[in-house]
């Protein structure tokens, strides 16, 4: 504990109550007349309540008052400057009393919503006198243009999710991972069990952790968050650790523009995620689970929380699950508007109550992750695949896909043509077939942004690219998170690219020089070329920025901050010099 | 204790170092220098400036030499074209965003790496006027390159006071107190350890600030003398920077076991009494001093 | 011999220790850079418990704080000792090889059970028990203390009580374990090392040791008095009896710093002859017949000082002193010449080499080596010796390298001399704050934004009972005098306890209140425990 000193701003009664509710089960420092139990250790145990506390204050008031922040920080023994540093890191937190009345409307202006009428939506909202914030992708590209409302006295609402009938998923190409979608009631554990739920868990218990991990390894399962790292290797590394505390973290901070698959898993199939996490825990001897859901996924978070409550009540989580000697429990943490928190080490910092700045790797999470303990970080889609492998068997799993990319993949299709939505397809399926399934006529395709903002643009010549890791690589592209944004020639792509430049500038955490200054300078050049014909000098500058961000940044955000821009130029989609 | 050694190649030279040695340490041990900005001997590397990046044959991106441990058998290039290009860009970006005029080291590096920041739009990260809030030191954030050193020194690398932290995000990120309140209202205890580690003079003794304002800051006329602090019995080494028979700045060597370069408010600023004439007038032997109470 | 001289451990050892018992020390404020080492230890996983009447800035870093009543340290230490013994957590092998008097000690502390200790100290018995167990079962543990232990009428007994705990558990004489008294003042360690103690010659050689004395007599061609001299407190006693008529004060300000300062000032006034050698015209200097202006040792002269880890370090002149001010060694040397001495050594280095020739523990510390090593820790008997990071390693050697076993000491709880009464119901204790120093003659010169003067810090409860507001001026009375002070209400303060600093004698003549009951062994006065009454000022009394 540092020399804690706070300004004289005091909390009001409501803020006091919220903070008290937050800490009622926590081991807070005790201060009696003649003894005190405090110190660094207790403060450490408390700090992870900072982010939930900030949410509580923000939701209650529509902003975080200096008195509220003081009180929260003092209760959690967080230095005032650090609490401010954390709060000011996130987009969804407001630290000054809003000048406008009523709620704040976050309207997505990223590519798919941008081409689907975001501007009109903004104008309409403004015409109604509403406060509007132009924000990054909300992960609802299937129902673009999406928006999200932060009220002044309640939980935020993702407006476009209110209409349930708009859940757009398609199993015409393949329906393995999506097979429970629409069939299982996400609010009813019974319904999940009746549809084969927890069969994989029973299998895992009966064959044991080592066998589970070897099946996953044999199945060739790789991470579906974008990096495609072999899942079995991660699990094995954590299982091998003798550490007292090990964590399973689900990275559901899905913020890659154009990506919404994980949101749909959380909304439509939350029990499957919980089951798969539990399998990971019992197979690796981990006792603590965390699901980090992005702050804008209000509906998903609510459904997940209610599912989690049900599972906890049923005894499928907690101490000695089903009479075994396995103990495991899960907590949900909400992000607060920061793309960077999808980077696994930034996510750890965020959960722990620090700024969501990536750590340097090595050490890797399997060695030193959440709270510096061995940690598995998996994407929700990756985990759903585990159920598939254990239920259907390795051979059946490998029967889909290609040899180097076994299984199926969820693709998030959006853009200005066809039917946006979530499509499952075997790895290796040609891009053309996916587009057909989404009613996108091949001849109308001008550009495809594959893999989101961090991905690369392809032009129409890539229409027959096989959708596999190796297939994308041959086109110098990456499947990334499975975002497939398709644009016709009616779209002003320079504008789209400039918006991506702004996205990276806004989302850079600011830690390393190449990304902090580089994303800013890149955006400045893109704005200039939008206004006048680009020059050689500008191109050179963009290329140099691309080199330094790609080579010298700390994390993947910086490494990929220029890839969409560069690929759009390389593919001849934008830019014509004088 | 068995110390495991590993071998690797740096710029064609075979190097053998204990495991866990960083690339920077290994390179310096064989006389290869790598420029650094956010690295300091008395702080844990945060590798944010990226000036020390080098090429490692087992990594796709360049790696920060200051924090990356040597891998056995790896081949490191510290000064090839790719590395040089990246360093030049880092320097250009820094210079495009900050006033680096008071950092001799960075000026030299920019000249060496031929960094040209004139091709960027004139958009500094901070246009703030220097914050002059007390008589001990000032903060001029237009010179701040966000190397995190002050935050580290204020926090758990030394002082554990946490009066400052990084606030905001991206290009707007700043070193700040809570709500940017003035330092005297914050948790600051004026140890000045932030000044001690600041590489760009963004944090500066008020004495230096005043002398610079009066165009009377003359490093060439200054001397540095090591001595021991006169206050408590801990025995902190002070480096007294003097000009015209006056102390103008106090630092402590980072490699000393007692201080690790860090001081407290008394050691850093409490020297005024030795030179303020009001306290110590030129004196002669006095006799029959009147006792007035 | 065990129990004299200096701290046993190097600062950096606390970075690697497992358990830290911080006792009567607000090192965070008083020894900030030492506390950095403690914080490194905590950061690496060490656990710290803090014993202090106040919930200090240091205690806030502790896993547990034990807020004992002022002056009940012996009761607490003995209870911890008893708990370690009855729980079988003592190091029997260490005790039998390296100590003496264990059986008597065990019998003596048996009266100090947890319930008794809770009653006396006010600290929950369970926490005392936990402290005992944590300290005893840690692989390495250090006890750190400062003036909260020593500035009592029985300060030496307090120290010995802590030493007992180390002997009981073997937490001394090993890397990472030890007993660390933090020296409050620059070179107070060096002053002792150089023989500025009534019973010692330089290098802790006893004045009544004929062989040691002979060395000095030969060097200085004189005869030395084998009787120990007087320490400061005894000097004032001698002054009050009219036995001491002339005083030569060097760099000390007793007219502000003595407890019961009104009495001290009267005695200074009555001296036949007073010489004051100082860098300032202090209040004491104003009583002087002759004032000898000195240069500032650490910045205007060359020489050495010694720190709390027994590290001898070089100081160097960086500034030219004001006209007329001279280095202390020059003034003393000239005075000696005028008195007929024929001292050879002139420069600081020559003086130092002379010292090395007659103080074995300094023999290996040439200026060149001090320079090269950033100082050396004594003992350092020859030029090849690396210095001594921790003391008393012999406790762990078979045969103890010829030393006598370290004795347990029997100490008895007495409590402060001045008990609380209806008339004086509040306990006043004093201490340092971060940005100031002693009587303030040095620290008041710089413009610290942290400075807030000498407030009387009292608890919220007491403020409420007395009807006081924050910042209100009150009258503070002790059996010896009264002063006006501003009240500062502290939510962390224990009820019945008042605290203030002694840095601002010009603002508040605090030592008018403090008790000059002193420890017969060390001569240190009981600054830490006076009884006071706080009175609300009526309109007419306000200044």
């Amino acid at each position: 504990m540092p020399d804690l000193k706070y300004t004289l701003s005091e909390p009001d009664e409501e803020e006091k109550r919220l903070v008290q509710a937050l800490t009622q089960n926590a081991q807070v420092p005790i201060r009696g007349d003649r003894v005190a139990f405090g110190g660094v250790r207790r403060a450490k145990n408390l700090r992870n309540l900072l982010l939930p506390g900030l949410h509580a204050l923000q939701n209650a008031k529509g902003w975080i008052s200096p008195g509220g922040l003081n009180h929260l920080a003092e209760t959690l023994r967080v230095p005032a400057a650090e609490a401010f540093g954390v709060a000011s890191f996130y987009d969804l937190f407001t630290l000054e009393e809003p000048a406008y009345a009523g709620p704040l409307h976050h309207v997505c202006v990223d590519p798919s919503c941008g081409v689907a009428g975001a501007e009109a939506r903004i104008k309409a909202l403004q015409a109604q006198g509403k406060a509007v914030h132009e924000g990054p992708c909300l992960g609802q590209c299937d129902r673009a243009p999406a928006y999200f409302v932060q009220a002044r006295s309640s939980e935020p609402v993702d407006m476009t999710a209110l209409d349930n009938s708009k859940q757009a998923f398609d199993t015409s190409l393949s329906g393995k991972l999506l097979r429970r979608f629409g069939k299982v009631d996400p609010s009813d554990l019974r319904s999940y069990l009746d549809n084969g739920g927890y069969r994989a868990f029973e299998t895992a218990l009966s064959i044991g952790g080592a066998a589970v991990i070897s099946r996953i390894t044999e199945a060739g399962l790789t991470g579906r968050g974008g990096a495609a790292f072999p899942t079995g290797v991660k699990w094995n590394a954590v299982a091998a650790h003798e550490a007292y505390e090990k964590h399973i973290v689900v990275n559901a901070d899905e913020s890659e523009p154009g990506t919404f698959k994980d949101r749909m898993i959380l909304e439509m199939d939350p029990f499957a995620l919980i089951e798969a996490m539990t399998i990971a825990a019992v197979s690796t001897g981990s006792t603590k689970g965390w699901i980090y859901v992005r702050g804008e996924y209000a509906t998903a978070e609510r459904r997940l929380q209610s599912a989690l409550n049900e599972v906890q009540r049923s005894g499928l989580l907690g101490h000695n699950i089903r009479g075994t000697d396995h103990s495991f429990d899960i907590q949900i943490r909400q992000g607060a508007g920061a793309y960077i928190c999808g980077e696994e080490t930034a996510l750890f910092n965020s959960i722990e109550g620090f700024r969501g700045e990536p750590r340097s790797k090595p050490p890797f999470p399997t060695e030193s992750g959440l709270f510096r303990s061995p940690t598995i970080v998996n994407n929700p889609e990756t985990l759903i695949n585990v159920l598939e492998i254990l239920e259907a068997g390795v051979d059946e799993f490998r029967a889909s896909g290609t040899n180097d990319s076994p299984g199926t993949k969820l693709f998030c299709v959006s853009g200005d043509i066809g039917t946006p939505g979530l499509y499952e397809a075997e790895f290796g399926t040609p891009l053309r077939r996916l587009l057909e399934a989404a009613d996108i006529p091949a001849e109308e395709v001008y550009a495809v942004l594959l893999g989101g903002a961090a991905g690369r643009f392809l032009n129409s010549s890539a229409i027959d690219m096989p959708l596999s890791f190796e297939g994308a690589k041959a086109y110098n592209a990456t499947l990334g998170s499975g975002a497939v944004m398709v644009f016709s020639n009616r779209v002003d792509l320079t504008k789209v690219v400039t918006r991506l430049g702004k996205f990276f500038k806004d989302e850079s955490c600011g830690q390393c020089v190449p990304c902090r200054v580089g994303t800013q300078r890149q955006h400045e050049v893109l704005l200039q070329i939008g206004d006048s014909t680009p020059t050689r000098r500008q191109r050179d500058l963009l290329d140099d920025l691309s080199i330094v961000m790609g080579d010298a940044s700390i994390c993947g955000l910086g490494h990929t901050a220029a890839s969409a821009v560069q690929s759009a130029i390389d593919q001849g989609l934008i830019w014509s010099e004088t | 204790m068995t110390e495991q050694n590993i071998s690797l190649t740096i710029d064609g030279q075979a190097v053998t170092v204990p495991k866990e040695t960083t690339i920077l340490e290994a390179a310096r041990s064989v006389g290869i220098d790598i420029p650094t900005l956010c690295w300091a001997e008395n702080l844990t590397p945060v590798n944010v400036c990226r000036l020390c990046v080098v090429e490692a044959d087992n990594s796709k991106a360049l790696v920060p030499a200051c924090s990356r441990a040597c891998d056995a058998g790896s081949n490191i290039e510290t000064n090839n074209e790719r590395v040089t290009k990246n360093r030049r860009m880092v320097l250009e970006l820094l210079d495009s965003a900050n006033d680096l005029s008071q950092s001799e080291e960075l000026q030299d590096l920019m000249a060496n790496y031929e960094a040209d920041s004139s091709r960027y739009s004139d958009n500094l990260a901070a246009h703030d006027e220097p914050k002059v809030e007390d008589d001990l030191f000032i903060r001029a954030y237009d010179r701040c390159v966000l190397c995190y050193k002050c935050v580290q020194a204020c926090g758990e690398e030394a002082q554990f006071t946490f009066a400052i932290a990084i606030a905001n995000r991206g290009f707007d990120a700043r070193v700040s107190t809570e709500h940017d309140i003035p330092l005297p209202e914050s948790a600051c205890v004026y140890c000045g350890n932030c000044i001690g580690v600041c590489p760009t003079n963004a944090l500066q003794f008020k004495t230096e600030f005043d002398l610079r304002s009066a165009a009377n800051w003359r490093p060439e006329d200054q001397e540095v003398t090591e001595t021991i602090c006169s206050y408590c019995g801990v025995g902190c080494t002070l480096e007294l920077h003097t000009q015209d028979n006056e102390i103008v700045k106090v630092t402590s060597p980072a490699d000393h076991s007692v201080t690790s370069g860090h001081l407290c408010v008394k050691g850093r600023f409490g020297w005024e009494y030795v030179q303020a004439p009001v306290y110590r007038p030129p004196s002669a032997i006095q006799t029959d001093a009147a006792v007035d109470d | 011999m065990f129990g004299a001289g200096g701290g046993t451990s190097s600062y950096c050892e606390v970075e690697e220790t497992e358990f830290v018992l911080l006792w009567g020390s607000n090192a965070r404020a008083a020894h900030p850079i030492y506390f950095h080492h403690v914080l490194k230890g905590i950061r690496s996983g060490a656990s710290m418990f803090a014993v202090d009447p106040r919930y200090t800035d240091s205690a806030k870093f502790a896993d547990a704080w034990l807020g004992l009543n002022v002056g009940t340290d012996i009761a607490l230490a003995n209870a911890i000792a008893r708990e370690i013994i009855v729980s079988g957590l003592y190091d029997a092998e260490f005790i039998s090889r390296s100590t003496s008097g264990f059986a008597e000690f065990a019998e003596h502390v048996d009266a100090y059970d947890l319930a008794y200790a809770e009653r006396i100290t006010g600290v929950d018995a369970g926490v005392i028990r936990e402290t005992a167990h944590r300290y005893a079962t840690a692989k390495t543990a250090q006890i750190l203390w400062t003036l909260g232990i020593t500035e009592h009428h029985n300060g030496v007994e307090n120290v010995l009580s802590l030493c007992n705990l180390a002997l009981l558990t073997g937490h001394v004489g090993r890397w990472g374990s030890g007993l660390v008294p933090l020296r409050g003042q620059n070179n107070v360690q060096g002053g002792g090392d150089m023989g500025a103690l009534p019973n010692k010659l330089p290098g802790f050689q006893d004045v009544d040791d004929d062989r040691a004395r002979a060395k000095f007599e030969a060097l200085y061609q004189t005869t030395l008095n084998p009787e120990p001299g007087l320490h400061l407190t005894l000097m004032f006693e001698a002054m009050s009896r009219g036995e001491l008529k002339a005083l030569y004060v060097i760099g000390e300000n007793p007219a502000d710093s003595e407890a019961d300062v009104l009495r001290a000032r009267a005695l200074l006034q009555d001296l036949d002859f007073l010489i004051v050698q100082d860098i300032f015209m202090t209040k004491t200097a104003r009583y002087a017949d002759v004032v000898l202006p000195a240069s500032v040792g650490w910045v205007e002269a060359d020489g050495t000082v010694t720190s709390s880890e027994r590290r001898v370090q070089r100081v160097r002149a960086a500034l030219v002193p004001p006209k007329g001010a001279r280095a202390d060694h020059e003034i003393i040397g000239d005075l000696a010449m005028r008195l007929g001495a024929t001292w050879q050594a002139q420069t600081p280095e020559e003086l130092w080499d002379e010292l090395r020739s007659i103080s074995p523990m300094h023999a290996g510390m040439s200026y060149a080596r001090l320079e090269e090593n950033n100082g050396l820790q004594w003992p350092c008997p020859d030029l090849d010796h690396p210095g001594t990071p921790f003391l008393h390693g012999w406790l762990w050697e078979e045969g103890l390298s010829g030393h006598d076993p370290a004795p347990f000491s029997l100490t008895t709880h007495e409590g402060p001399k001045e008990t609380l009464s209806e008339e004086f119901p509040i306990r006043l204790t004093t201490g340092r704050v971060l940005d100031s120093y002693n009587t303030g003659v040095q620290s008041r010169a710089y413009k610290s934004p942290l400075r807030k003067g000498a407030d009387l810090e009292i608890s919220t409860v007491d403020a409420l009972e007395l009807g006081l507001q924050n910042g209100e001026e009150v009258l503070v009375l002790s059996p010896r005098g009264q002063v006006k002070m501003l009240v500062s209400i502290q939510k962390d303060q224990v009820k019945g306890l008042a605290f203030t600093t002694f840095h601002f004698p010009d603002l508040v003549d605090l030592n008018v209140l403090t008790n000059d009951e002193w420890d017969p062994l060390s001569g240190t006065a009981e600054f830490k425990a006076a009884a006071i009454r706080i009175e609300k000022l009526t309109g007419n009394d306000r200044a």
Side-chain angles (χ1 to χ4, degrees), chain A residues 50-51 54 58 64 69 72 80-95 336 353-355, chain B residues 166-168 179:
Chain A
L50 183 60
L51 189 55
L54 293 170
Q58 172 76 39
I64 298 168
L69 185 63
L72 175 65
E82 288 209 339
F84 180 78
V86 170
S88 65
F89 185 82
Y90 296 100
D91 252 8
L92 295 184
F93 296 144
T94 313
L95 288 158
F354 292 86
R355 290 166 59 79
Chain B
I166 308 285
N168 304 329
H179 303 284

Side-chain angles (χ1 to χ4, degrees), chain A residues 1 3 31 34 36 39 41, chain C residues 28 46 61 63 65 67 69 492:
Chain A
M1 196 180 330
D3 298 330
R31 168 81 170 88
R34 292 308 188 85
R41 233 163 258 105
Chain C
R28 177 61 161 165
F61 285 92
D63 289 337
W65 163 66
N69 288 320
D492 283 327

Side-chain angles (χ1 to χ4, degrees), chain A residues 18 48-49 75 77 106 140 160 168 184 204 305 311 333 379 421 427 437 457 502 532 551-552:
Chain A
L18 289 167
N48 75 75
L49 295 173
T75 307
R77 300 297 193 268
H106 294 257
Q140 303 187 42
T160 32
V184 170
Q305 186 64 62
V311 179
R333 282 289 186 273
N379 172 270
F427 277 111
F457 276 101
K502 181 165 189 320
S532 56
D551 263 355

